[in-house]
Amino acid sequence: MIFLITLSIIKADTGGFVGHSAVHPDMMAAARHAMDRAVRSELLIDGHVASCGDDVSLIMTHRYGADSQLIHSFAWDTFQTTTGVARELGLYGAGQDLLSDAFSGNLRGMGPGYAELEFDERPSEPVVCFLADKTEPGAWNYPLYKMFADPFNTAGLVIDAKMHAGFVFEVYDLFEEKWICFDCPAELYDMLMYIGAPARYVVHSVRSKTLGETAAATSTQRLSLIAGKYVGKDDPVMIVRAQSGLPALGEVLEPFAFPFTVGGSMRGSHHAPFMPVSVGHAHPARFDGPPRVVALGFQIHDGRLVGPRDLFADPSFDEARHQANLAMDYLRRHGPFEPHRLPLEDLEYTTMPQIQARIANRWTPLPSPPVPATAGRPASAGAAKS
Ligand code: F6R
Ligand code: MG
Ligand code: MG
């Protein structure tokens, strides 16, 4: 009999301790209490509460599929509860991600982010839940490309018969609200043209061509254009299933051995290295960064979450952390200059409209270029030797 289960990670920033750096232990306790009750009432098969930076993640297994009203409304209520705790303690930005006053069906466009995957549980089902803070969903483009399309990362693409045919990537255009599938490796170069621009094009899911199974899902939420500015790019989460014809656990983690840069960090407006850390170190400090990623490994068995294992709490990622600190030093020294500061159109905070309005009448057209002295002479006359 097919035993379809859904793994959902639903996350929200409902208040920071201190500033935007972490979640207060009392908020975590309140979320765990709600989760325990939901398991006991059999809404959920199992659940685990985790955090990365100032975001609470509810990691849940259940039988209701993606976008379930029951599951989303449970998450919404839990975030209301953690917001209440944050308010009582005067924590920073209490209820920050709860953009609406009331829940209406599911969480789309309401602030919290979510990654969900429904699948037929394999005899042994290893999954990794990635949680990130101080960056955006496009941060998963690089590691997903490495895991599922780069043979220098994933040996299985070359030497595992179940992986050799490749994977299909579903990519969203966040600005124009459309999506496309790229069949890789055949369409790899086409795909890279898009996903190399992660502020706009974001991998939403990846499917194995041989197994027909979805292997990865990210929290790519649609952006809303509000007052001429896209909002809703949020600290992302991702689910990746591993082994048996999918990337092995070590191939899933390998991309993070290089601390590639992502958009985010201070005021969501800077490039900074993505630092893989243990749960205990997932608290962005320096310049509200470097952006952090934690990897929680579970074996799912009869829908139960056996784990987690804190997968980046390992010395093999020490060098990535060291390089991230060096890269942070290098980028920080650019101060308000690109490429540390994001291009004008990607800034989360900007004073540009006010500045433009204030100094608009001081901009003067440059004088027209003088007519070159050589005008009218044959092209060869006076040409400089090079
Ligand atoms: C970035 C982030 C922080 C804040 C920064 C300023 O995603 O959350 O870097 O943008 O700390 O926060 P406010 O404006 O709340 O003082
Ligand atoms: Mg915050
Ligand atoms: Mg956050």
Side-chain angles (χ1 to χ4, degrees):
M1 198 183 95
I2 293 185
F3 180 63
L4 280 185
I5 62 151
T6 305
L7 173 60
S8 299
I9 311 178
I10 307 187
K11 49 98 5 200
D13 174 350
T14 57
F17 170 59
V18 173
H20 292 281
S21 67
V23 178
H24 192 280
D26 290 0
M27 294 169 68
M28 295 296 284
R32 283 192 184 113
H33 183 65
M35 192 78 106
D36 287 347
R37 270 203 326 242
V39 173
R40 263 186 276 120
S41 73
E42 298 186 0
L43 171 69
L44 303 177
I45 306 173
D46 205 353
H48 177 80
V49 181
S51 69
C52 184
D54 54 4
D55 295 273
V56 180
S57 279
L58 308 176
I59 301 173
M60 302 170 281
T61 48
H62 55 89
R63 303 225 173 96
Y64 298 100
D67 285 312
S68 151
Q69 177 166 354
L70 279 172
I71 301 300
H72 284 210
S73 101
F74 162 71
W76 180 259
D77 291 345
T78 305
F79 294 141
Q80 296 284 357
T81 305
T82 54
T83 297
V85 176
R87 290 216 169 100
E88 266 166 38
L89 296 174
L91 301 179
Y92 194 67
Q96 178 184 291
D97 281 354
L98 306 187
L99 302 178
S100 172
D101 289 336
F103 182 76
S104 58
N106 71 38
L107 290 172
R108 189 160 292 163
M110 298 188 69
Y114 48 96
E116 300 186 285
L117 207 51
E118 187 178 32
F119 51 88
D120 181 13
E121 187 184 295
R122 297 171 291 169
S124 180
E125 186 64 63
V127 300
V128 184
C129 296
F130 289 96
L131 319 176
D133 189 42
K134 303 290 179 276
T135 186
E136 60 192 17
W140 304 131
N141 286 8
Y142 171 88
L144 285 172
Y145 157 71
K146 298 289 283 183
M147 286 173 215
F148 291 98
D150 180 3
F152 281 72
N153 180 92
T154 298
L157 293 168
V158 180
I159 62 176
D160 182 338
K162 290 201 210 117
M163 298 180 71
H164 200 78
F167 291 84
V168 174
F169 288 68
E170 182 192 11
V171 174
Y172 281 19
D173 175 346
L174 296 184
F175 287 10
E176 293 199 355
E177 297 195 356
K178 51 191 188 187
W179 62 277
I180 189 171
C181 282
F182 290 102
D183 184 339
C184 293
E187 298 185 312
L188 198 49
Y189 299 161
D190 290 350
M191 181 175 79
L192 283 170
M193 197 61 214
Y194 291 93
I195 68 167
R200 174 165 181 175
Y201 299 99
V202 179
V203 179
H204 184 60
S205 69
V206 183
R207 183 166 45 83
S208 158
K209 287 166 69 177
T210 303
L211 306 179
E213 295 267 339
T214 304
T218 71
S219 59
T220 316
Q221 265 75 63
R222 260 195 290 170
L223 298 186
S224 325
L225 188 61
I226 297 177
K229 198 170 155 33
Y230 283 101
V231 295
K233 276 215 237 184
D234 206 10
D235 302 324
V237 292
M238 169 166 76
I239 299 168
V240 182
R241 300 167 70 197
Q243 307 286 159
S244 303
L246 302 178
L249 180 69
E251 292 167 336
V252 171
L253 301 179
E254 177 67 10
F256 297 93
F258 168 56
F260 56 97
T261 82
V262 293
S265 199
M266 178 55 72
R267 298 175 188 277
S269 301
H270 293 82
H271 272 295
F274 205 18
M275 187 187 254
V277 290
S278 65
V279 171
H281 286 158
H283 313 302
R286 180 184 183 188
F287 203 60
D288 289 4
R292 306 292 157 112
V293 52
V294 299
L296 301 179
F298 295 94
Q299 288 289 149
I300 297 184
H301 186 59
D302 293 339
R304 277 185 303 118
L305 291 163
V306 180
R309 277 209 56 228
D310 187 357
L311 295 165
F312 289 143
D314 186 88
S316 59
F317 288 95
D318 285 352
E319 189 53 28
R321 294 186 265 270
H322 174 62
Q323 285 179 17
N325 278 326
L326 296 179
M328 191 68 176
D329 275 342
Y330 172 82
L331 284 166
R332 279 278 44 241
R333 288 167 72 183
H334 292 76
F337 286 81
E338 295 181 16
H340 185 32
R341 200 182 74 184
L342 295 184
L344 290 175
E345 62 275 18
D346 292 337
L347 293 175
E348 197 173 292
Y349 284 55
T350 185
T351 46
M352 195 56 139
Q354 294 102 298
I355 297 173
Q356 269 176 334
R358 185 157 38 78
I359 66 172
N361 59 7
R362 287 170 38 204
W363 285 98
T364 312
L366 290 171
S368 322
V371 180
T374 54
R377 279 197 244 154
S380 58
K385 283 188 185 150
S386 58

